[in-house]
């Protein structure tokens, strides 16, 4: 980081007037002590049933058995939740690897429920 | 004022997240990363058509699926203040001992690209 900073100021070292011209910082700045660790701790969901949604709208629930840092998941007793023909039903898929990059949503099934409109009361 | 610095300042604050598919999530931000992936707790999920609702204890949302996030207005003031303070801190630390190395590691934190009106008398030490 210090190196980059130095290179930068040396590059345009002359006390030119062009400073503060509202230049955005160089694109790759934001060194931001990158939070490389995952923001989701999946270890707490192991052997629990989780709900996973995918790009494209598919949705499954299953018991989490394993995972990696790309959010690839190993899930057992997978049930796909099929919403398309009106009454939603499920389809059993057994043991599956869910591909991380297509996962858009992860939440535990335990503690989740469908409810009545919670916003009506407030208005 | 960078989007992600605003977002990370919103930790533990309530927010509304709408996904590209129209679903919305109301909850408190637990954590976020540079991809805008977020985790929320105590979440109210609303279906895209707005007539089904779920309560989730917590959830993880992939950043690339987010359309927008609504955060509390007051957050703006908080972040501005923080930035000001950070800038102040920068000035006192590097302005301190004059002529000593001078260009030591520029501690430019988040979103403070302009380094105050100095720089003029700088860099010509060798003449």
């Amino acid at each position: 980081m210090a190196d980059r900073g130095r290179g930068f100021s040396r590059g345009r070292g002359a006390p030119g007037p062009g400073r503060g011209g509202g230049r955005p910082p160089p694109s790759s700045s934001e060194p931001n002590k990158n939070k490389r660790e995952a923001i989701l701790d999946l270890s707490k969901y192991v052997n629990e049933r989780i709900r996973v949604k995918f790009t494209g709208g598919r949705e499954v629930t299953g018991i989490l058995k394993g995972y990696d840092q790309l959010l690839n998941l190993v899930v057992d007793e997978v049930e796909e939740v099929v919403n398309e023909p009106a009454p939603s039903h499920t389809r059993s898929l057994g043991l599956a690897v869910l591909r991380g990059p297509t996962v858009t949503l992860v939440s535990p099934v335990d503690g989740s429920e469908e409810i009545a409109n919670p916003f009506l009361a407030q208005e | 004022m960078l989007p992600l610095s605003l977002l990370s300042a919103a930790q533990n604050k309530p927010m509304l997240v709408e996904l590209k598919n129209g679903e919305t999530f109301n909850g408190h931000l637990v954590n976020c990363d540079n991809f805008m992936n977020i985790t929320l707790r105590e979440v109210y999920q609303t279906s895209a058509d707005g007539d089904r609702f779920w309560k989730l204890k917590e959830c993880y949302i992939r950043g690339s699926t987010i359309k927008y996030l609504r955060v509390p207005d007051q957050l703006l003031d908080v972040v501005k203040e923080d930035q000001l303070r950070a800038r102040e801190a920068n000035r006192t630390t590097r302005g301190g001992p004059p002529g000593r190395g001078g260009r030591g590691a520029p501690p430019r934190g988040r979103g403070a690209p302009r380094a105050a009106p100095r720089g003029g008398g700088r860099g010509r030490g060798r003449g």
Side-chain angles (χ1 to χ4, degrees), chain A residues 1-2 5-6 8-10 13 15 19-20 22-26 29-32 34-36 38-40 44-45 53 55 70-71 83 88 100-108 110-119, chain B residues 2 5 8 11 19 21 23 25-26 30-35 37-39 44-46 50-62 65 103 105-111 113-115 118-124:
Chain A
M1 184 167 91
R6 200 164 339 118
F8 176 68
S9 64
R10 197 195 298 141
R19 246 223 220 235
R23 285 171 78 262
S29 82
E30 219 49 359
N32 246 2
N34 277 332
K35 280 199 221 115
R36 275 284 160 249
I39 62 168
L40 177 64
K44 62 184 176 188
Y45 297 150
K53 290 200 187 199
T55 54
L70 297 175
L71 209 66
N83 291 311
S88 77
T102 67
V103 171
T104 64
L105 184 104
V106 179
S107 81
D110 187 36
S112 303
E113 51 175 349
E114 183 161 5
I115 56 171
N117 188 341
F119 302 107
Chain B
L2 298 172
S5 41
S8 52
Q11 273 182 22
L19 305 191
N21 66 15
E23 288 179 314
F25 295 81
N26 285 273
V30 173
N31 210 343
C32 64
D33 64 17
N34 288 342
F35 299 114
N37 299 328
I38 59 172
T39 49
Y44 290 105
Q45 177 186 356
T46 306
D51 53 45
R52 294 181 77 188
F53 303 88
W54 293 265
K55 174 95 174 70
L56 316 177
K57 205 160 60 185
E58 49 194 353
C59 73
Y60 166 89
I61 298 172
R62 189 177 175 81
T65 67
R103 52 176 58 172
R108 61 235 252 322
R110 30 179 187 148
R114 279 152 287 139
R118 90 204 287 274
R122 154 96 100 80
R124 40 189 346 209

Side-chain angles (χ1 to χ4, degrees), chain A residues 59 61 78-83 87-93:
Chain A
E59 177 181 344
T61 69
V78 176
E79 302 275 337
E80 179 178 356
V81 182
V82 187
N83 291 311
S88 77
H89 57 283
T90 61
R91 187 165 85 101
S92 290
L93 300 178

